[in-house]
């Protein structure tokens, strides 16, 4: 199965809408790189001296395995003297919203994250592609974990939400999270929007530290047979299968949420806001 590339969001050629200026109000704090010193899945309270870079777009991370990730970072409104966290977002295959870091979509997600004292990290598909299934997906997942755990994740009590739509959701379920989640800080979760299947791939058993990780599959009631280049695909079927398999692997806090609409009808910032409201409960 190949995850869909929504026709409404594709363009025949890359036209990137870019800016290199730091967003207003970000402050003048120097960006530091600090590897996590706490054991996996352990919360650490940050302070004003903790690791919290200023906002900026068009940033690049070069992983040790050669994978390049481009990303945009938004931290306005985050109080680093309180428990903070992050939202990582992975958009659908073929979409171009990550190439518009000053657009309304990114701004809404940044606002939603800041409302719960979290920074927002908009991660682009690897190596300049628009597809989370391009190239070696295992290597891409390794690069994202390295990026998250050594360069960006605030290891705080607020936790981290990994959220993906369509192809991004498939990347989370099939590659990034399937082998275990001990690398995420305590209080973290994941939201799979319009996808997130496993397709028979084995799921690593949950540990005592990760069994309570909140995993939500959000799928539209009309998001069934979706035509792709390799045949039909159903987000509803993928979500149902994956939710059951993660639960069987010992993840106790899984749920499948049905919304109204088809594959292109999701209000993604609203979905992310709802999932953030559930973290830590």
């Amino acid at each position: 199965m190949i995850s869909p590339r929504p026709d409404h969001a594709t363009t025949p050629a890359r036209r990137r809408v870019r800016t290199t200026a730091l967003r207003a109000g970000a402050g003048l704090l120097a960006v530091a790189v600090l590897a996590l010193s706490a054991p996996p899945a352990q919360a650490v309270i940050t302070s004003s001296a903790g690791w919290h870079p200023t906002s900026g777009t068009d940033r690049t991370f070069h992983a040790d395995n050669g994978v390049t990730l481009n990303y945009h970072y938004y931290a306005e409104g985050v109080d680093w003297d309180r428990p903070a966290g992050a939202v990582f977002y992975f958009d659908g295959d073929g979409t171009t919203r990550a190439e518009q870091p000053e657009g309304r979509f990114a701004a809404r997600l940044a606002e939603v994250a800041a409302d719960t004292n979290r920074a927002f990290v908009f991660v682009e598909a690897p190596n300049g592609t628009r597809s989370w299934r391009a190239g070696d997906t295992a290597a891409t997942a390794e690069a994202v974990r390295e990026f998250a755990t050594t360069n960006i994740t605030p290891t705080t009590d607020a936790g981290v939400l990994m959220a993906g739509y369509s192809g991004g959701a498939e990347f989370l379920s099939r590659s990034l999270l399937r082998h275990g989640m001990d690398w995420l800080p305590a209080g973290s979760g994941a939201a799979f929007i319009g996808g997130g299947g496993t397709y028979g791939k084995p799921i690593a058993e949950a540990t005592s530290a990760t069994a309570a990780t909140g995993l939500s599959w959000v799928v539209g009631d009309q998001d069934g047979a979706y035509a792709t280049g390799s045949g039909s695909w159903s987000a509803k079927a993928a979500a149902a299968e994956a939710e059951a398999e993660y639960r069987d692997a010992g993840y106790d806090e899984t749920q499948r949420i049905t919304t109204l609409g088809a594959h292109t009808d999701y209000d993604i910032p609203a979905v992310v806001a709802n999932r953030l409201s559930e973290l830590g409960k």
Side-chain angles (χ1 to χ4, degrees):
M1 199 291 303
I2 297 178
S3 57
R5 297 169 59 90
D7 293 337
H8 73 290
T10 59
T11 57
R14 274 177 88 83
R15 297 184 59 194
R16 306 180 71 82
V17 180
R18 293 299 200 188
T19 175
T20 58
L22 291 179
R23 292 171 64 89
L28 299 175
L29 294 174
V31 176
V33 176
L34 177 64
L36 298 181
S37 58
Q42 297 296 314
V44 177
I45 299 295
T46 60
S47 69
S48 58
W51 191 88
H52 45 88
T54 56
S55 298
T57 60
D58 298 294
R59 292 181 173 172
T60 300
F61 174 73
H62 299 288
D64 290 342
N65 64 3
V67 173
T68 296
L69 299 172
N70 294 318
Y71 69 99
H72 316 292
Y73 184 80
Y74 309 80
E76 292 89 345
V78 179
D79 181 357
W80 299 103
D81 289 319
R82 298 193 293 115
V87 175
F88 288 76
Y89 179 70
F90 307 80
D91 212 357
D93 291 345
T95 58
T96 60
R97 289 177 292 216
E99 298 164 23
Q100 303 168 37
E102 301 295 337
R104 180 57 182 156
F105 182 79
R108 285 186 64 201
L109 279 168
E111 291 166 2
V112 162
D115 284 345
T116 60
N117 211 40
R118 290 177 171 86
F120 173 53
V121 190
F122 202 155
V123 188
E124 294 195 38
N127 298 317
T129 70
R130 287 178 179 161
S131 175
W132 289 104
R133 53 186 172 83
D136 185 341
T137 55
T140 300
E142 180 183 354
V144 170
R145 285 190 291 269
E146 180 187 346
F147 169 55
T149 57
T150 65
N151 287 272
I152 206 76
T153 306
T155 53
T156 71
D157 282 344
V160 168
L161 179 70
M162 293 283 175
Y165 162 66
S166 191
E170 301 279 283
F171 171 71
L172 295 183
S173 59
R174 286 192 285 185
S175 302
L176 186 63
L177 304 177
R178 186 171 60 86
H179 299 291
M181 304 179 205
D182 289 278
W183 53 278
L184 289 170
S188 295
F192 311 90
I193 306 166
T198 54
Y199 314 102
K201 293 186 176 182
I203 308 299
E205 292 293 322
T207 67
S208 59
T210 63
T213 303
L215 305 177
S216 301
W217 281 261
V218 181
V219 63
D221 63 347
Q222 299 177 50
D223 200 351
Y226 187 94
T228 74
S230 60
S232 64
W233 173 81
S234 170
K236 290 172 65 176
E241 175 193 48
E243 192 269 339
E245 290 183 352
Y246 271 88
R247 182 175 290 277
D248 287 345
Y251 293 92
D252 299 326
E253 300 299 322
T254 67
Q255 60 179 329
R256 184 156 35 98
I257 301 167
T258 301
T259 61
L260 298 177
H263 196 66
T264 60
D265 295 331
Y266 297 98
D267 184 343
I268 291 171
V271 172
V272 170
N274 288 336
R275 295 306 90 219
L276 286 171
S277 70
E278 295 294 322
L279 285 188
K281 288 187 177 180

